[in-house]
Amino acid sequence: MKKTVLSSIVVYIVFSVVFCLYIFNWADTTIPSGYEGSASDPATFMNEKELLISEEFSKIKNALYFLSTPYEWLLLFILLSVGLSKKFQDWAKGTVRFRPLQVFIYLFWITLFTTVLSFPFKLFGYNVSKDYGISVQPFNGWMKDYMLDFWINYFLTGLIVLVLYGLMRKSPKRWWLYGWLLSIPFTLFLTFIQPVFIDPLYNDFYPLKDKELEEKILSVADKAGIPAEHVYEVNMSEKTKAMNAYVTGIGDNSRIVLWDTTLNKLEDDEVLFIMAHEMGHYVKKHVFFGVVSYTLVSLVGFYLIHKLMNIIIRRHGHRFNIHDPKEVATIPLFFLLLSVLSFLFAPISNTVSRAHELQADTYAVELTKNPEAAVGSFQQLTKSNLSEVNPPFIVKLFRYTHPPMVERIHYLDSYELRESEK
């Protein structure tokens, strides 16, 4: 196992070097010749310094993502391979007799292990955002959010693990099916409570303060058939200079949310387009579709994890000193398989998401009839967020839930031409 661990570390280092070369030297991010000089060409709305900073920032963030994800896999593999997972399990059993507490004690130690060793990546990402003027959040505020993430994820993960491993003990062959069935109401529950109870733990949410703008939004919302109470403003200017807007929740808990930075930097017509875009998600039920599709995909995921865990423990369990998938010590293996499968599925889910975003763009420009405001809003978003206008293919495949800005701006810029040709 020592040789296997060393080999894994060497593979990770080689991968990191090759991928950094791809991101920083080999990948082509130039604007297609047909777009040069158009509204989608960043050279037409960004100066030379902004272009350079945007390119540098995007490359660093992309490299950080693709290096941190396999690094987390490596940590989980090390937990299994060197016997730490088994030792944490024995330690928890020796501490208390009550099994649920054993699970939470064990989970605390492996969560602490992975969190501490992953912290340099998180800290580097925070510092990069600060250095490039995206984040304005003080370090103590960032650490507060980081610790809040730790405890929320820890307790939610503990509940999930407790239920799943309880099902494994009672039904080794069918636990994956029962776990999937239970995940449906749990997913719906989280989707309902997130916008109301979890999101406000991080930021302040309140109705729009600008009443004149509110009246304009109410008019657009009325055309879309959306109740006005689904529009919220969130105080993000104390943390970031970036802009954003999103739709979250389902049913009566659905919320269309605008960052105050978006309100501060965009003209009213541009804000109305952004709002119309988010209304498009609401009208076309993209959040609901996302929950349903996630539920169906998770069924396949549960089944694959069940099969793969059995195969791995049967063939290699003796190397980990683990002989039964039902042992709590297999949790790192469960998380590892879940993360790898999620990563491999990302290109498919991102493709669907990009299609939804294009539908929302189309809905918004047809609702507002103002392609100039649409183009202007995306140009300003690109500048404020230091977005990469035309990302490398692999980055787009695995990271981009939205179409690249070069595509979105070009689509909106040519809207009037397409309409006139109909």
Side-chain angles (χ1 to χ4, degrees):
M1 289 308 299
K2 289 181 180 179
K3 291 182 179 179
T4 304
V5 171
L6 289 174
S7 298
S8 301
I9 294 173
V10 170
V11 169
Y12 172 74
I13 293 173
V14 172
F15 167 81
S16 300
V17 172
V18 171
F19 203 87
C20 283
L21 286 172
Y22 169 74
I23 290 292
F24 290 97
N25 297 101
W26 300 338
D28 182 15
T29 58
T30 57
I31 301 299
S33 57
Y35 295 166
E36 290 180 356
S38 70
S40 58
D41 183 352
T44 63
F45 58 89
M46 297 171 71
N47 59 44
E48 188 174 342
K49 181 179 179 181
E50 289 172 333
L51 287 170
L52 179 62
I53 292 175
S54 175
E55 184 178 358
E56 289 178 352
F57 179 74
S58 297
K59 287 180 177 180
I60 294 172
K61 296 293 284 188
N62 290 334
L64 188 63
Y65 171 81
F66 283 99
L67 267 58
S68 62
T69 299
Y71 177 75
E72 292 171 2
W73 300 346
L74 180 64
L75 292 180
L76 292 171
F77 180 70
I78 290 174
L79 270 173
L80 286 169
S81 302
V82 303
L84 272 178
S85 183
K86 181 68 173 178
K87 288 180 180 178
F88 287 152
Q89 174 186 268
D90 295 340
W91 192 358
K93 286 182 177 179
T95 304
V96 294
R97 299 180 63 87
F98 188 49
R99 186 171 181 83
L101 284 180
Q102 292 176 2
V103 172
F104 273 94
I105 291 173
Y106 166 84
L107 192 62
F108 174 79
W109 289 113
I110 68 165
T111 304
L112 185 64
F113 174 86
T114 54
T115 299
V116 169
L117 292 181
S118 298
F119 182 74
F121 278 97
K122 303 295 184 182
L123 181 61
F124 180 75
Y126 165 73
N127 286 329
V128 167
S129 294
K130 286 277 288 186
D131 292 342
Y132 281 84
I134 293 295
S135 175
V136 294
Q137 186 178 22
F139 178 75
N140 60 341
W142 177 79
M143 277 300 301
K144 179 183 176 181
D145 287 348
Y146 187 75
M147 294 305 299
L148 189 60
D149 278 340
F150 175 88
W151 288 112
I152 289 176
N153 291 333
Y154 167 67
F155 283 111
L156 287 178
T157 304
L159 292 174
I160 294 170
V161 166
L162 197 61
V163 171
L164 287 180
Y165 276 75
L167 292 172
M168 286 184 190
R169 293 194 306 275
K170 292 183 178 180
S171 180
K173 294 183 178 180
R174 294 286 183 270
W175 71 266
W176 60 273
L177 180 59
Y178 303 139
W180 172 74
L181 290 172
L182 288 175
S183 75
I184 298 175
F186 184 76
T187 300
L188 292 174
F189 174 71
L190 284 182
T191 305
F192 271 102
I193 71 168
Q194 178 182 332
V196 179
F197 297 105
I198 296 179
D199 288 350
L201 294 175
Y202 295 88
N203 303 290
D204 297 325
F205 289 76
Y206 38 79
L208 286 175
K209 295 178 181 178
D210 187 335
K211 297 306 177 183
E212 183 178 346
L213 178 59
E214 183 181 39
E215 290 183 8
K216 296 179 182 178
I217 292 174
L218 285 174
S219 176
V220 177
D222 183 62
K223 293 179 183 178
I226 297 176
E229 60 265 25
H230 291 161
V231 179
Y232 289 83
E233 179 181 347
V234 56
N235 179 23
M236 289 296 295
S237 56
E238 62 184 19
K239 294 183 178 181
T240 182
K241 292 182 180 179
M243 297 191 297
N244 194 21
Y246 60 90
V247 59
T248 185
I250 57 176
D252 293 336
N253 282 4
S254 296
R255 289 187 176 188
I256 298 174
V257 179
L258 278 164
W259 289 9
D260 62 344
T261 50
T262 304
L263 294 167
N264 295 336
K265 294 182 179 181
L266 296 184
E267 301 293 333
D268 282 3
D269 287 347
E270 294 170 341
V271 171
L272 289 176
F273 170 79
I274 297 295
M275 289 299 298
H277 171 94
E278 300 306 328
M279 291 174 190
H281 287 303
Y282 182 91
V283 169
K284 294 183 177 297
K285 296 179 171 50
H286 288 159
V287 175
F288 177 78
F289 178 82
V291 171
V292 172
S293 59
Y294 169 81
T295 300
L296 295 176
V297 169
S298 65
L299 173 61
V300 179
F302 271 110
Y303 177 74
L304 288 176
I305 290 175
H306 162 65
K307 287 295 185 182
L308 291 171
M309 283 184 69
N310 283 327
I311 293 172
I312 292 171
I313 296 301
R314 185 170 63 248
R315 294 182 180 179
H316 306 288
H318 63 282
R319 299 183 178 183
F320 310 137
N321 196 21
I322 300 173
H323 307 289
D324 193 329
K326 300 189 296 292
E327 291 186 57
V328 175
T330 62
I331 288 176
L333 177 60
F334 180 91
F335 288 160
L336 176 59
L337 293 173
L338 177 63
S339 181
V340 171
L341 290 174
S342 299
F343 182 80
L344 294 176
F345 183 71
I348 299 175
S349 62
N350 288 345
T351 299
V352 174
S353 178
R354 289 194 296 270
H356 285 171
E357 294 298 331
L358 185 60
Q359 290 176 8
D361 285 347
T362 303
Y363 178 88
V365 74
E366 290 178 351
L367 184 65
T368 61
K369 302 298 183 183
N370 194 342
E372 292 84 3
V375 170
S377 66
F378 281 150
Q379 288 177 338
Q380 187 60 47
L381 277 168
T382 302
K383 293 176 64 174
S384 296
N385 296 359
L386 297 183
S387 301
E388 191 168 27
V389 176
N390 190 38
F393 173 75
I394 294 178
V395 173
K396 175 184 174 180
L397 202 64
F398 284 94
R399 293 204 66 194
Y400 272 57
T401 56
H402 292 59
M405 280 300 186
V406 67
E407 298 176 11
R408 299 182 79 178
I409 295 175
H410 177 74
Y411 176 82
L412 295 169
D413 187 43
S414 58
Y415 172 79
E416 287 186 323
L417 178 61
R418 293 195 305 273
E419 287 297 302
S420 63
E421 291 176 349
K422 287 183 178 180

